Amino acid sequence: MTATIQDAAALDARDSLAPLRERFHIPDELIYLDGNSLGMMPKHVPERVQNAMTAQWGTDLIRSWNTHGWIDLPARVGAQIARLIGAEAHEVIACDSISVNLFKLLSAALKLRPDRRVIVSDIDNFPTDLYIAEGINAMLGGQYELRFVKRDRLEAAIRDDVAVVMLTEVDYRTGERIDMKALTARTHAVGALTIWDLAHSAGAFPVRLNDCNADFAVGCGYKYLNGGPGAPAFLMVAERHLGTAMPVLSGWMGHAAPFAFDPAYTPDSTVRRLTAGTPSVIGMTALEAALEVFDDVDMNALRQKSLALTDLFMELMQPLEAQYGFKLVTPRDHARRGSQVSYTHADGYAIMQALIETKVIGDFRAPDIVRFGFTPLYTSFQDVENAVKRLTEVMSTRRYAEPRFQVKAKVT
Ligand SMILES: Cc1ncc(COP(=O)(O)O)c(C=O)c1O
């Protein structure tokens, strides 16, 4: 499906994924272009959470760990996510947050390369990724070089002194997608290991971790997986590392026999060794239910729709670039694009606030980026057309210049 400017309604009529939109709760008139921050709620999720609360927690209480399979939720949810990210079910587990999972995987990966003292990342990576590397290095007495470089210097930075290359596949600000396969191959050629952050990839397009020979990965449940605010995250360990990746957060849930209450720690032989404490059952229940929307989704069709939506948006935005000074920072090249489109604009924050008032929700990232996320499960082509119409109105009336739109909220 290649979109040019044509009737959005006709594109929707031809869209094989269009019926999925019905499965989401979409408030009246709302055009939601922020699924790259917090996905929309599938309609069936509240009932499932309600059941976990009242029947499972309220009535069955502690028995539910066995009778309702709470204890296996992390592995079950991990298996659901595995298909979306090109991994095997037994390589993925749902747990904690991306930050905590990065801590676990980076510490484990560094131990697999004991003779090397360099961690490579992109200086424009999401800050938590960089902070976690800094924290681990500080804990280890500052013995590592944190080689954080601009994206165009990455290849050159990956040399034979490197232990781990830690990268995010899709840039959270620009939506640029980097070449996982090529960078993983480059990393392996120098004998180092990769950790991929899939925050803006999982559920947005088919990720191919094993096809790329990736070593480790993390991702979150609350963006394109629609698991709800603060949903559990996930981690992936390639099968070849399952027996050797040693947990630093050696909690009882990662023990080979948690209910043996052995005073000494023995890691489980499966990916469960990378979990630490009791899983968040309510959050996992919401994520497990939300993931069912993907059950029959052809991920290649999802990618085609994502590209068609973002193509159409870029095309309809072109007059606004010329007239109002928006500057596109997302690559036009399909291979280098995730599922969001971003522009810089000096008045970006106020423009986004004014746009939100017209019920088109995107978001803003400092210093000057407005972001629009496209979720093929529920974004329609008419959403794209109407969003640009409302933005045109905000710009032509200069409504964004009103002082109330300048007031910065805690969360942008
Ligand atoms: C690329 C990336 N990594 C990590 C995070 C933060 O993850 P968490 O809050 O689950 O630690 C985000 C949040 O938006 C992100 O975009």
Side-chain angles (χ1 to χ4, degrees):
M1 199 186 321
T2 317
T4 53
I5 298 184
Q6 47 190 301
D7 187 8
L11 289 170
D12 283 329
R14 285 210 304 270
D15 169 19
S16 64
L17 299 178
L20 290 166
R21 182 178 165 89
E22 274 306 300
R23 300 190 61 179
F24 289 85
H25 174 75
I26 304 182
D28 274 352
E29 289 174 41
L30 188 74
I31 298 177
Y32 192 68
L33 302 180
D34 214 3
N36 51 329
S37 249
L38 173 67
M40 291 191 114
M41 184 183 76
K43 285 178 188 160
H44 67 286
V45 169
E47 195 186 320
R48 295 280 286 279
V49 172
Q50 179 72 24
N51 179 268
M53 302 279 287
T54 50
Q56 299 182 15
W57 175 22
T59 304
D60 293 349
L61 284 158
I62 195 77
R63 292 167 290 186
S64 293
W65 283 104
N66 292 312
T67 56
H68 294 292
W70 286 354
I71 194 68
D72 296 321
L73 263 171
R76 278 209 307 276
V77 174
Q80 284 174 293
I81 295 170
R83 180 180 79 88
L84 309 180
I85 59 173
E88 297 296 323
H90 66 278
E91 295 173 314
V92 185
I93 196 145
C95 51
D96 305 305
S97 60
I98 288 189
S99 304
V100 173
N101 288 336
L102 273 174
F103 181 91
K104 294 187 285 190
L105 292 184
L106 183 54
S107 348
L110 291 176
K111 283 211 268 179
L112 292 174
R113 291 294 178 271
D115 303 329
R116 296 174 174 221
R117 289 287 174 272
V118 179
I119 301 168
V120 168
S121 195
D122 176 349
I123 189 74
D124 294 316
N125 202 344
F126 192 83
T128 207
D129 301 46
L130 305 180
Y131 302 160
I132 291 293
E134 275 180 37
I136 288 177
N137 187 37
M139 186 182 70
L140 296 174
Q143 49 178 312
Y144 284 86
E145 177 194 339
L146 303 179
R147 193 174 290 159
F148 298 163
V149 298
K150 281 285 187 197
R151 196 154 309 145
D152 58 359
R153 306 291 311 278
L154 273 175
E155 295 243 345
I158 304 174
R159 303 193 287 271
D160 62 9
D161 54 357
V162 175
V164 177
V165 176
M166 192 183 67
L167 295 170
T168 295
E169 188 184 14
V170 177
D171 184 285
Y172 73 105
R173 277 185 287 228
T174 64
E176 178 181 356
R177 179 180 182 182
I178 54 176
D179 189 339
M180 177 185 280
K181 196 163 200 166
L183 284 158
T184 301
R186 164 89 195 165
T187 302
H188 290 168
V190 301
L193 296 165
T194 52
I195 302 178
W196 287 98
D197 181 339
L198 305 178
H200 298 269
S201 310
F205 50 80
V207 181
R208 302 206 158 83
L209 285 175
N210 281 338
D211 181 48
C212 294
N213 215 9
D215 298 289
F216 302 100
V218 295
C220 64
Y222 49 77
K223 298 182 191 287
Y224 293 96
L225 301 183
N226 312 308
F234 64 87
L235 62 81
M236 177 271 188
V237 178
E239 179 170 301
R240 62 187 174 280
H241 300 304
L242 279 175
T244 48
M246 287 301 292
V248 165
L249 291 184
S250 41
W252 75 305
M253 282 290 162
H255 193 282
F259 289 87
F261 298 104
D262 184 344
Y265 179 76
T266 309
D268 188 61
S269 60
T270 74
V271 71
R272 189 169 59 75
R273 65 167 53 190
L274 270 310
T275 63
T278 307
S280 146
V281 170
I282 307 299
M284 288 252 178
T285 300
L287 177 57
E288 180 180 43
L291 282 164
E292 288 167 11
V293 176
F294 282 97
D295 275 355
D296 300 317
V297 173
D298 170 352
M299 292 303 283
N300 291 318
L302 185 102
R303 175 63 172 165
Q304 288 316 307
K305 181 173 174 187
S306 157
L307 291 171
L309 289 166
T310 49
D311 274 346
L312 179 64
F313 186 71
M314 285 180 179
E315 212 162 326
L316 296 176
M317 280 293 289
Q318 258 170 11
L320 282 82
E321 287 186 58
Q323 209 172 341
Y324 301 115
F326 288 97
K327 189 169 173 298
L328 179 69
V329 291
T330 304
R332 287 188 185 278
D333 176 3
H334 283 178
R336 294 179 53 226
R337 192 191 305 167
S339 200
Q340 79 177 51
V341 180
S342 305
Y343 296 85
T344 55
H345 194 293
D347 294 312
Y349 183 78
I351 290 169
M352 187 51 78
Q353 296 315 301
L355 185 63
I356 291 171
E357 206 177 70
T358 73
K359 295 195 175 175
V360 176
I361 301 188
D363 64 18
F364 172 81
R365 286 293 172 264
D368 59 358
I369 289 188
V370 286
R371 304 193 303 179
F372 301 92
F374 298 84
T375 309
L377 297 178
Y378 52 75
T379 309
S380 68
F381 291 93
Q382 287 167 90
D383 279 347
V384 172
E385 189 180 24
N386 290 326
V388 177
K389 275 189 191 149
R390 292 189 209 170
L391 181 57
T392 306
E393 212 255 328
V394 163
M395 299 310 294
S396 64
T397 56
R398 286 186 56 82
R399 193 173 332 122
Y400 64 87
E402 292 176 28
R404 66 201 169 98
F405 293 128
Q406 314 286 336
V407 181
K408 285 252 163 75
K410 262 193 190 168
V411 177
T412 61

